[in-house]
Amino acid sequence: MQQNIRITSHVTIVLTLLTALTALLLAGFMWLASTKVDDIALTRQKGYVEQGLDEQVKAVQHELESVTTWNDAVLLVSKGAHQWIVDNIGTWMHTYFNHDRTYLFNERDELVFAMRDGQDIAALTFSEDEKPVAALRDNVRAELNKRIAPGDSAPPVIGGIFSEQILAISGRPAVVSARPIVPSTDAVSVDPGKEFIAIAVKFLDAGAVAKIARYARIETLHFTTDSAEASAAIPVRATDGSTLGYMAWQPVRPGMMLIEQIAPVGVAGIAVAMGVVIFLGRGLRKTSIDLSESRLALMRHRDQLEESVRLRTAEIERQREELDRLLAQERHVNALQRQFVTMASHEFRTPLAIIDAAAQRLSRTKATQKPEYVEEKAAQIRSAVLRMVDLMESILSAGRLETGKTTLKPERLSLAELIETCCARQADIRKSHTFHKDLSHLPQTILADRATIEQVFTNLLSNAIKYAPKAPDIHIRSWTKNGMSYVSIKDDGIGMDAEDLPKLFQPYYRARSATGIAGTGIGLNIVKQIIDLHGGSISVESALGRGTTFTVALPNKGPLANIIKRAA
């Protein structure tokens, strides 16, 4: 009996020590977990702030474009309509886009208009931003002069000329952007070398910080030049790579907040556990007498327990593999979602700005408006709306294809007639290009879904026109081989780098050479999925500055023909 009491006392002490050790390990684990959670939260906060800052920088160029690509601006600025310039450029850019400073230069690079902080500066003088403003003006003027330089076989497109820098003005970070004032339609023209230049200055330490804070949902976000606050901050870098300051904030630490909330409960729980262990230790005095009798029963159950442990271990391993798979899938979905948000916010902004600007101008000039003016603004609004409708239709088509809700309805159709129809439609929309077609080698009919195949060739022809603005000839060639119909569409446009070709059909991916050209990166992904559903294939050949060729292959006997052939 005395021996059993000693054993019970030893067991009680051991359990008490184990409970204390477990409490320490649990506390350490919780501290480590909270640290990891706080690090992840801080990384995510930095990502949101970086993305918000990038959006603010990119927005300046597009906002300036909304008032510099405008027939009225070309006509009235050159005439020196000062009040119109104040209302429609200076005040508009300040109140609607929060630009801090706006400057206009004439064809002799003389300052003809200046507005700072919403105030029209009658005495045309610069502030401390004369040097950067003059530098960007000279950059734009140099690009404009290339258009009249003798012997220049490839002058820059005037609509794509701009210059932008991020730099410090009196210790404040600012985005300075410059663009020439050019007509929005062919109804108005401007002689080369006679272009006016508009320059916008937007500081990143004032209203831009508030917008970024709302986007990132960080109330304490502010700009500072003190590197000591950089523990929860991202650097604001100038165009030359130097650091202008930091976007700093008080980091949100969910892990530490959780520990602070549960710490009192945890301490109370540990105390209760220690009391329970002591109480159970006393109870062991009685159970120790039955220990020897239970030994044989434990041995009988040992094998059964080992088997249960083995089965449970296998189940846990299976669940872990399933969780890894679901986590990888979620990361992929999150990446696509971020790409979509970035694309949509960028693509919707310009047409919405155009619609709003045209509507406000119509409202302001309703007493003197002419039918031609109303027709022009209505055309701008309708073009912007059609651009948004096309974007939404592309997104919906991609969604239906991704979820498998698109069902093919194969029918006998003439592929040559379908392509002729697509070419005619594109020729009506854009009269600047000519289609050279050789469709005589296609079979009389193939089995395919008319609506989706028409969508494929409409997208490819539209891309050929859009990415070849200076090359009006589009070549379409056809041939058949091994039960497949082949159609190639070749343009002599801007082309692509070889590094972009393997990723071209991924959703939301755009080639680097497409920078500055409107697009979503959805169209070619939809084309690839439609052709795959038909059992066909698509390939692309391109070189930077030498054009692009897309080749589509479709089975003559329908969507299942090529799939069955491959299986055999």
Side-chain angles (χ1 to χ4, degrees):
M1 179 64 72
Q2 293 296 327
Q3 184 178 1
N4 288 336
I5 294 174
R6 287 196 299 270
I7 293 174
T8 301
S9 300
H10 292 163
V11 170
T12 301
I13 294 173
V14 170
L15 288 176
T16 303
L17 292 175
L18 287 176
T19 303
L21 179 60
T22 302
L24 291 175
L25 290 176
L26 181 60
F29 173 77
M30 292 180 63
W31 179 83
L32 179 62
S34 66
T35 301
K36 294 295 184 181
V37 169
D38 291 344
D39 290 342
I40 293 172
L42 181 58
T43 300
R44 183 170 297 177
Q45 293 165 34
K46 289 183 178 180
Y48 287 149
V49 175
E50 288 175 348
Q51 187 172 355
L53 178 60
D54 185 59
E55 287 293 327
Q56 289 298 309
V57 173
K58 291 180 179 178
V60 176
Q61 178 201 147
H62 296 289
E63 293 163 357
L64 184 59
E65 182 183 8
S66 68
V67 297
T68 56
T69 305
W70 188 8
N71 289 349
D72 290 355
V74 172
L75 297 174
L76 296 174
V77 168
S78 62
K79 292 179 180 180
H82 183 78
Q83 189 58 45
W84 186 93
I85 296 173
V86 171
D87 294 338
N88 293 274
I89 296 181
T91 303
W92 176 261
M93 297 293 285
H94 178 72
T95 58
Y96 192 76
F97 294 124
N98 296 324
H99 288 196
D100 297 284
R101 297 172 184 178
T102 303
Y103 300 99
L104 288 182
F105 296 88
N106 62 15
E107 70 275 12
R108 296 182 299 278
D109 291 338
E110 298 170 344
L111 182 63
V112 296
F113 175 77
M115 176 171 282
R116 289 196 291 272
D117 300 323
Q119 299 297 320
D120 182 16
I121 307 302
L124 296 176
T125 58
F126 284 103
S127 183
E128 62 277 11
D129 47 7
E130 178 177 4
K131 184 176 180 181
V133 167
L136 265 69
R137 177 201 63 197
D138 295 341
N139 291 343
V140 172
R141 184 65 67 187
E143 288 296 314
L144 291 172
N145 290 338
K146 291 181 181 179
R147 302 180 66 248
I148 57 177
D152 193 347
S153 59
V157 179
I158 190 170
I161 295 176
F162 73 96
S163 183
E164 185 172 80
Q165 285 188 350
I166 304 173
L167 41 75
I169 298 177
S170 296
R172 300 176 63 190
V175 181
V176 184
S177 184
R179 296 187 71 94
I181 298 178
V182 298
S184 55
T185 67
D186 294 335
V188 175
S189 63
V190 57
D191 295 333
K194 301 295 183 180
E195 302 89 347
F196 279 60
I197 296 175
I199 297 180
V201 179
K202 184 174 183 179
F203 290 105
L204 296 176
D205 60 348
V209 174
K211 291 184 178 180
I212 298 171
R214 287 194 297 270
Y215 174 82
R217 297 185 178 181
I218 298 175
E219 297 179 356
T220 59
L221 185 69
H222 62 283
F223 175 81
T224 179
T225 57
D226 187 1
S227 60
E229 296 186 40
S231 58
I234 63 165
V236 179
R237 301 191 185 280
T239 303
D240 60 8
S242 61
T243 300
L244 303 179
Y246 302 89
M247 291 290 180
W249 65 95
Q250 185 67 32
V252 179
R253 301 185 181 274
M256 293 304 297
M257 292 169 59
L258 179 62
I259 287 181
E260 291 174 0
Q261 292 176 359
I262 68 173
V265 178
V267 172
I270 293 173
V272 171
M274 295 290 289
V276 170
V277 168
I278 295 174
F279 175 80
L280 292 176
R282 292 177 178 178
L284 284 176
R285 291 176 180 271
K286 180 180 180 299
T287 58
S288 62
I289 299 174
D290 301 328
L291 183 60
S292 58
E293 297 177 0
S294 303
R295 188 175 301 166
L296 293 177
L298 289 174
M299 292 178 65
R300 286 194 300 267
H301 290 293
R302 182 185 59 188
D303 294 339
Q304 182 180 356
L305 180 60
E306 289 178 352
E307 179 64 17
S308 298
V309 170
R310 185 186 65 80
L311 295 176
R312 182 58 179 165
T313 301
E315 176 66 15
I316 291 174
E317 180 63 21
R318 185 191 66 79
Q319 293 177 355
R320 185 191 64 79
E321 293 176 355
E322 178 66 12
L323 287 174
D324 289 343
R325 184 187 67 80
L326 293 175
L327 180 59
Q329 182 178 359
E330 182 182 0
R331 288 173 177 169
H332 176 68
V333 171
N334 288 339
L336 289 180
Q337 184 182 24
R338 287 193 296 271
Q339 292 176 1
F340 168 75
V341 169
T342 301
M343 177 275 297
S345 63
H346 174 76
E347 289 298 321
F348 276 121
R349 182 182 294 109
T350 297
L352 285 174
I354 292 173
I355 291 171
D356 188 60
Q360 293 220 21
R361 293 185 193 112
L362 284 173
S363 177
R364 289 198 302 271
T365 59
K366 59 185 178 182
T368 59
Q369 59 190 5
K370 296 181 179 179
E372 296 83 0
Y373 181 83
V374 174
E375 182 178 359
E376 176 191 344
K377 297 307 172 187
Q380 290 180 357
I381 293 174
R382 186 170 182 272
S383 174
V385 170
L386 289 176
R387 178 174 172 184
M388 295 173 66
V389 171
D390 289 343
L391 174 60
M392 292 305 303
E393 183 60 31
S394 297
I395 295 172
L396 291 175
S397 297
R400 288 193 293 266
L401 288 168
E402 285 289 341
T403 57
K405 293 183 179 180
T406 296
T407 303
L408 298 183
K409 297 179 180 179
E411 60 178 280
R412 282 290 170 185
L413 56 87
S414 170
L415 186 58
E417 292 180 1
L418 186 146
I419 296 174
E420 290 280 4
T421 301
C422 294
C423 290
R425 187 181 301 114
Q426 293 298 318
D428 289 340
I429 298 173
R430 302 176 179 88
K431 302 183 182 299
S432 58
H433 287 68
T434 302
F435 296 101
H436 304 278
K437 303 180 289 293
D438 180 10
L439 305 175
S440 60
H441 301 290
L442 293 174
Q444 186 173 1
T445 62
I446 67 170
L447 188 62
D449 180 83
R450 179 181 297 275
T452 56
I453 294 301
E454 185 173 347
Q455 186 177 4
V456 166
F457 286 101
T458 297
N459 187 288
L460 294 178
L461 292 171
S462 175
N463 282 356
I465 294 173
K466 180 165 62 174
Y467 296 110
K470 293 296 184 179
D473 296 318
I474 308 297
H475 299 274
I476 305 172
R477 192 168 64 90
S478 65
W479 69 94
T480 58
K481 182 179 179 182
N482 298 330
M484 302 286 288
S485 293
Y486 293 84
V487 178
S488 69
I489 299 175
K490 180 180 183 298
D491 65 72
D492 298 317
I494 61 177
M496 294 172 281
D497 286 326
E499 296 178 358
D500 289 325
L501 299 183
K503 305 176 183 177
L504 196 59
F505 297 104
Q506 296 179 4
Y508 310 116
Y509 183 82
R510 302 197 70 207
R512 287 167 290 183
S513 58
T515 301
I517 301 177
T520 64
I522 301 176
L524 289 179
N525 176 255
I526 295 175
V527 167
K528 179 70 165 59
Q529 293 190 66
I530 291 174
I531 293 175
D532 288 344
L533 287 175
H534 280 80
S537 63
I538 182 170
S539 60
V540 58
E541 298 178 2
S542 183
L544 193 62
R546 299 183 181 178
T548 304
T549 301
F550 284 93
T551 302
V552 175
L554 293 170
N556 297 334
K557 295 183 179 180
L560 294 178
N562 204 27
I563 298 175
I564 295 174
K565 181 178 178 181
R566 292 173 185 171

